[in-house]
């Protein structure tokens, strides 16, 4: 099975969560829109189809044989069993998906730190609002989410470097990406991370050392973080948390 | 099977999407946190558990026998086959879930029209930003999402008052709720809806007339829209779209 991933070229974005799963599994896939104009046209044509019943709303979407799947968490839920990146039981899959959707919520909030008012305005046109929203993320939202994820690791009776059950699942890869992105965007905002969230820090190290992920991160397939993605480093938006929430 | 729904009392919020599915199916359920202090305590205790492996991040969550499911779209995906509110094929279920997640994205954007900067500030403290964000929703985001949903109805070869396949599915109920909420919050912003989106308008009418939904909407179980929910009517944020995007 050759998977076709459709996502905007030039940025990691939400596509990166899918790429990490495909890379970890050593799956055969093509990143369609990164293959020149033809790829972009193919993507646009799917998004504007007047015939396709299972019409995708936005990239990323995945073609897998007869299936077209979109929404990042939906794609990962679809790939999970196929790439052996999720537990076998229904309860584990529901739990893994719940965690993935919670990561997706935080990712949307991170996006809104640089675009709190409108995606149709440049960041420079909404800088004052961005400053307030980014401060709120650092002081309030990140602690809320990261505390929660740390507690999930703590409560896992099978070990604390994976979020669900005994083995690696796709949500661990997404958690790695989230932590990497947050460190890129908010190096000051994330100060104290290793001390406050030792299990999340260990998960991050653990994933970075997996052979296929390590090779992928060094490869040209890994687009560097940049100012087009979801995680953006604007130094003026970054500062240490105002108070320790604990 | 008696389902236990846990959600904040006094507002529809995200819990309402789950309630509509349970009501349409005539399911046996209890809205736990609406049963006084005991219910609220039970909810808080689940959210702060140091033992529960499948720890929920936030309400709504659902207890169903041994399962604890959270994240609205995850709950609906879980309930779908159990309440016969989703098609039988894998492809249909993936598609239905993708649509539900897209509704969830829009719901989050609607929330941010009155809280664009921080959920820790009152609306009154972020009114100027809210005005810009609400305007962007009306002029740009709503057309983008509603156009898309209308196209999904148009492309469905089995009829255009349901989003997926031949029969009712949970996502139709959620679409109804979304349309109701948008009309409550932005009566001016939604002007032209029936003309621009005739199929979505027909879906709305169709769902409102289903006997169990009709009875539910008249009952005390249906909390009215109010200024605590996701959909809020602040007249100053509402205005007609600036230009027809078509």
């Amino acid at each position: 099975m050759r998977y076709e991933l459709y996502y905007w070229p030039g940025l990691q974005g939400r596509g990166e969560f899918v790429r990490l799963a495909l890379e970890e599994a050593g799956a055969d896939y093509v990143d369609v829109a990164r293959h020149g104009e033809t790829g972009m046209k193919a993507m646009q044509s799917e998004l504007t189809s007047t015939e396709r019943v299972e019409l995708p709303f936005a990239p990323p979407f995945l073609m897998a044989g007869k299936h077209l799947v979109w929404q990042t968490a939906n794609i990962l839920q679809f790939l999970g069993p196929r790439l052996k990146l999720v537990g076998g039981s229904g309860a584990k899959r529901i739990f893994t998906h719940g965690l993935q959707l919670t990561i997706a919520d935080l990712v949307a909030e991170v996006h809104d730190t640089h675009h709190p008012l409108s995606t149709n305005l440049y960041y420079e046109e909404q800088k004052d609002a961005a400053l307030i929203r980014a401060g709120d993320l650092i002081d309030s939202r990140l602690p809320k989410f990261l505390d929660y994820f740390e507690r999930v690791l703590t409560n896992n009776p099978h070990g604390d470097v994976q979020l669900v059950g005994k083995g690696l699942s796709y949500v661990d890869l997404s958690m790695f990406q989230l932590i990497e992105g947050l460190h890129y965007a908010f190096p000051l905002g994330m100060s104290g991370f290793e001390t406050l969230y030792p299990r999340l820090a260990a998960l991050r190290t653990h994933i970075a050392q997996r052979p296929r992920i390590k090779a992928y991160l060094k490869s040209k397939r890994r687009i560097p973080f940049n100012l087009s993605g979801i995680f953006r480093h604007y130094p003026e938006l970054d500062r240490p948390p105002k108070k320790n929430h604990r």
Side-chain angles (χ1 to χ4, degrees), chain A:
Chain A
M1 164 72 74
R2 161 166 282 200
Y3 295 103
E4 291 179 11
L5 173 64
Y6 292 75
Y7 194 66
W8 307 113
L11 63 154
Q12 291 182 4
R14 290 181 171 83
E16 195 64 14
F17 297 97
V18 182
R19 286 191 198 104
L20 283 168
L22 293 165
E23 291 284 345
E24 168 61 31
D28 179 18
Y29 79 100
V30 54
D31 213 329
V32 180
R34 288 173 74 182
H35 292 264
E37 221 175 291
T38 331
M40 275 299 283
K41 274 189 185 158
M43 186 164 91
Q44 284 301 343
S45 132
E46 286 301 333
L47 290 166
T48 53
S49 170
T50 54
E51 286 171 17
R52 184 173 282 282
V53 176
E54 291 158 17
L55 193 69
F57 177 65
F61 56 91
L62 185 83
M63 301 266 230
K66 61 175 184 151
H67 289 287
L68 190 159
V69 192
W70 89 105
Q71 280 276 0
T72 311
N74 204 19
I75 297 171
L76 288 169
Q77 179 176 243
F78 172 84
L79 285 175
R82 287 166 175 84
L83 303 182
K84 301 197 194 315
L85 282 175
V86 73
S89 77
K92 279 209 180 64
R93 290 183 185 186
I94 290 166
F95 181 45
T96 308
H97 191 54
L99 291 169
Q100 188 69 42
L101 290 171
T102 306
I103 291 177
D105 284 349
L106 179 51
V107 166
E109 294 198 21
V110 170
H111 170 271
D112 282 7
T113 58
H114 48 79
H115 280 79
L117 301 184
S118 166
T119 49
N120 296 310
L121 297 172
Y122 290 109
Y123 159 66
E124 287 72 18
E125 298 174 276
Q126 47 194 316
K127 233 172 169 172
D128 292 348
L131 206 64
I132 299 174
R133 177 107 191 201
D136 186 67
L137 183 90
I138 290 168
D139 292 337
S140 166
R141 302 301 288 168
L142 284 185
K144 187 175 163 69
F145 279 91
L146 297 179
D147 267 5
Y148 165 73
F149 291 129
E150 182 79 8
R151 282 196 295 131
V152 170
L153 288 172
T154 310
N155 288 9
N156 186 353
H158 300 293
D160 58 6
V161 292
Q162 72 281 351
L163 287 155
V164 184
K166 289 178 188 164
L168 177 80
S169 59
Y170 63 77
V171 74
D172 297 315
L173 302 169
S174 293
M175 184 59 69
F176 164 79
Q177 173 67 7
L178 174 69
I179 297 169
E180 289 292 304
L182 289 171
H183 278 87
Y184 164 74
F186 303 105
L188 297 174
M190 290 293 280
S191 56
F193 174 76
E194 282 77 9
T195 315
L196 288 168
Y197 312 108
R199 290 170 187 84
L200 286 171
L203 178 152
R204 181 193 187 192
T205 308
H206 177 72
I207 298 293
Q209 288 167 353
R210 293 187 71 88
R212 282 174 175 158
I213 296 296
K214 201 172 176 178
Y216 169 64
L217 296 175
K218 281 187 193 161
S219 76
K220 284 193 175 166
R221 298 191 302 285
R222 171 79 164 184
I223 303 162
F225 284 109
N226 60 40
L227 296 184
S228 309
I230 292 166
F231 299 102
R232 301 190 187 180
H233 181 56
Y234 294 118
E236 63 273 21
L237 298 185
D238 185 30
R239 60 159 173 77
K242 269 203 177 142
K243 54 176 180 185
N244 193 324
H245 65 285
R246 293 189 172 206

